[in-house]
Every structure is written in C-alpha cells, then in structure tokens.
C-alpha cells in the first residue's frame, strides 16, 4: 500500500472500530493495574484470576465487556460476583481509543501517517494513565507515586515523537502543574497550619502538563474544580443532613471526594475538544 492508500485506510470507519477494540483489550490491563497497584502486586504475573477462589480466568472468559455479560458478572467456578467496574473500565477504554483515533488519526489527513499513529499511541497511553489513576483514587483516595512519577518523564519524552505541544510548553506545563498544588499545600501547611491536601494531585497535574503543555492547565484546573464542586457539594449537604438527623452527635466526617478523577476528566475533555471550546467561548486559541 502506498502512503495515500494507507491514509485512506486510517481514515476509514473500520480503522476507528479496530482502535476501539484495541482500547477494550487494554482496558482489561487497566483493570489489573487498578486492582493490583494499590496492593503493591505485580501487574504482569500471575494472569487474571478470581479474587474469591483464585481460579485463573480462562482466555475465552477474558474477552473485554462480553465475558462479563455472558457470565452475568460472576466467576465461572465459584459464582462470586465480579465488580461492575471491570466492564465499565473496558468500555471507557474502548470509547476513548475510538474517540482519540477519530479525532487525531481519521480526521487529520494533513499530517504524515506515522505522526498520526504516533499521536494515537501517545494520547491513548496518556488516557490509560488517567483512567487507571482515577479509579485508584476513587477506591483508595491515593494517586500512587509508582504511576505518577514515571508517567511525567515517559509521557514528556514520548510526546517528542508525536509533534504534540512544543517541548518548552510541556516542560513549563509539568513544572507549573506540580508547583500549583505545591504552593496551595504549603499555604495550608505553613499559614493555616493544616494538612490541606496531598501532592498526588500535583504529580497528576504535572503529567497532564507534560503532555498537553501549560496552556491546557487553566482549563484543566478550572473545569476540574468546577465539575468536582458540582458533584461533591450535594454529597456534602446530604451527608451533613443525615448526620444532623442521627441522635448521637458524631463529629462531622471529613468529606472525601477525590480531586484526581475530575482533573483527569478535564484533561481528557481538553485533549478531545478543549482548543475548539476555548476558541468558541473565549475567542482564545
Ligand atoms: Zn471464583
């Protein structure tokens, strides 16, 4: 196939569907990471197994999304239920891969084929990191260093092959992302004398800046904080009301809505539609 034929294939709906399938298969691996990284276990070995009875999952039962539906969400040997998070993560990974292919490969015929595919690889790896970190943050309220710290230089370097945002923009993005949270954390600690927030969010924002560049950060922080507040305020009000209703005066539990998933969501929104939104709403480019 010549460059032109390849370009036509890359732009075809079939190629976008194949990207979705590729994403779903990686989604299975994302689940393994979400399950095992917080426990400090290897994500390579052993293969997938039932959390309850330890039976290895057969290859035929390891199809993304479909196996969960066929087996009605249960282990084939002991019938213990699997978390619905597994097919959800696989579905999210499939949709992200298809969307990234559609946006950066199928609909960008001006770039060379190699660059378009490199962009897909970079942005899908980036989304994978965001998905894994979000679900770990939801489950444990932590963003593990073992993912965030290597992600910053690896994604920064990988972006050179993909003609993403310029490297100075990305270097400033990584530094500014970390410093933004560092300054807030220090303010809480030294001025308000409170353990305000962890630096996991800062390392996550550094990884986001290392890929998308510093121009993305105001959008990511603003949209992340806004959607985070939109979700967490009703939860806070409901918990407070329920606690007021109880007879024993328990101390108000500290609200635990992690910020990581909202930063990740905002970063994905910026990646897929951010520049267009900014142009349309604010006249910025
Ligand atoms: Zn089992």
């Amino acid at each position: 196939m010549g460059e032109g034929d390849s370009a036509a294939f890359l732009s075809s709906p079939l190629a976008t569907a194949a990207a979705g399938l590729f994403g779903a298969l990686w989604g299975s691996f994302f689940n393994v990471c979400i399950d095992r990284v917080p426990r400090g276990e290897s994500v390579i070995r052993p293969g997938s197994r039932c959390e309850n009875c330890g039976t290895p999952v057969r290859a035929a039962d390891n199809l993304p999304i479909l196996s969960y539906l066929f087996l009605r969400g249960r282990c084939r040997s002991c019938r213990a239920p699997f978390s619905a998070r597994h097919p959800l993560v696989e579905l999210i990974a499939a949709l992200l891969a298809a969307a990234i292919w559609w946006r950066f490969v199928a609909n960008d015929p001006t770039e060379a084929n190699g660059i378009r595919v490199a962009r897909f690889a970079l942005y899908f790896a980036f989304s994978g990191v965001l998905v894994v970190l979000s679900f770990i943050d939801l489950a444990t309220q932590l963003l593990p260093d073992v993912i965030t710290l290597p992600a910053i230089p690896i994604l920064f370097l990988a972006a050179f092959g993909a003609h993403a945002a310029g490297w100075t923009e990305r270097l400033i993005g990584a530094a500014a992302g970390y410093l933004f949270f560092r300054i807030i954390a220090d303010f809480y600690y030294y001025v308000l004398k409170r353990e305000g927030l962890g630096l996991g969010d800062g390392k996550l924002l550094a990884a986001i800046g290392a890929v998308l560049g510093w121009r993305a950060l105001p959008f990511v922080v603003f949209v992340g904080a806004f959607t985070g507040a939109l979700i967490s305020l009703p939860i806070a009000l409901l918990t407070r009301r329920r606690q007021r209703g109880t007879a024993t005066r328990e101390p108000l539990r500290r609200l635990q809505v992690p910020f990581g998933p909202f930063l990740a969501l905002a970063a994905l929104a910026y990646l897929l539609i951010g520049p267009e939104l900014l142009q349309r709403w604010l006249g910025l480019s």
Side-chain angles (χ1 to χ4, degrees):
M1 281 201 303
E3 178 86 1
D5 295 337
S6 310
F9 172 72
L10 293 181
S11 300
S12 69
L14 181 66
T16 299
L21 185 62
F22 173 87
L25 292 168
W26 274 99
S28 300
F29 176 68
F30 299 164
N31 275 314
V32 171
C33 296
I34 295 164
D35 286 329
R36 295 186 188 174
V37 167
R39 299 199 296 248
E41 296 170 5
S42 163
V43 297
I44 312 289
R45 268 178 294 188
S48 302
R49 51 190 59 223
C50 170
E51 302 268 306
N52 185 47
C53 68
T55 310
V57 177
R58 295 195 274 174
D61 290 345
N62 214 358
L63 300 171
I65 308 166
L66 296 178
S67 292
Y68 184 87
L69 299 177
F70 287 148
L71 295 169
R72 306 228 165 104
R74 288 172 184 281
C75 168
R76 188 185 280 279
S77 22
C78 74
R79 312 302 299 156
F82 288 139
S83 164
R85 192 206 71 219
H86 288 96
L88 177 66
V89 166
E90 288 157 358
L91 184 65
I92 290 171
L95 293 175
L96 282 173
I100 291 167
W101 186 279
W102 182 249
R103 170 80 174 72
F104 294 101
V105 184
N107 286 301
D108 194 5
T110 52
E111 278 288 4
N113 294 343
I115 295 292
R116 290 152 73 189
V117 174
R119 240 173 233 175
F120 170 78
L122 169 71
Y123 293 145
F124 182 66
F126 175 56
S127 334
V129 168
L130 294 179
V131 169
V132 167
L133 285 173
S134 296
F135 279 90
I136 291 178
D137 201 7
L138 285 172
T140 67
Q141 317 280 337
L142 289 171
L143 293 165
D145 281 352
V146 70
I147 299 177
T148 52
L149 290 183
I152 298 166
I154 290 173
L155 292 171
F156 177 76
L157 292 174
F160 277 95
H163 286 200
W167 73 269
T168 41
E169 275 187 37
R170 292 187 291 103
L171 192 64
I172 296 170
Y178 179 75
L179 284 175
F180 178 76
F181 277 96
R182 183 66 205 245
I183 288 166
I184 297 176
D186 283 353
F187 176 77
Y188 266 82
Y189 189 76
Y190 292 111
V191 181
L192 305 178
K193 309 282 181 207
R194 282 197 300 173
E195 208 72 61
L197 63 169
L199 289 172
D201 291 316
K203 293 165 201 164
L204 171 59
L205 196 59
I208 292 170
V211 176
L212 300 179
W214 66 266
R215 286 167 204 274
L217 296 183
F219 177 97
V220 170
V221 169
F222 179 77
V223 172
F226 184 74
T227 48
L230 217 57
I231 304 286
S232 54
L233 282 180
I235 298 178
L237 292 175
L238 285 174
T239 4
R240 196 158 292 188
R241 182 170 302 168
R242 193 176 311 139
Q243 285 182 340
R244 194 176 292 157
T246 53
T248 50
R249 300 290 297 174
E250 294 171 59
L252 288 180
R253 259 181 303 151
R254 203 165 146 260
L255 179 67
Q256 293 287 8
V257 178
F259 192 31
F262 296 104
L263 287 176
L265 207 61
L268 290 172
Y270 183 88
L271 173 68
L272 291 167
I273 50 170
E276 287 84 346
L277 281 186
L278 289 179
Q279 202 151 27
R280 186 163 302 171
W281 291 350
L282 304 174
L284 302 172
S285 55

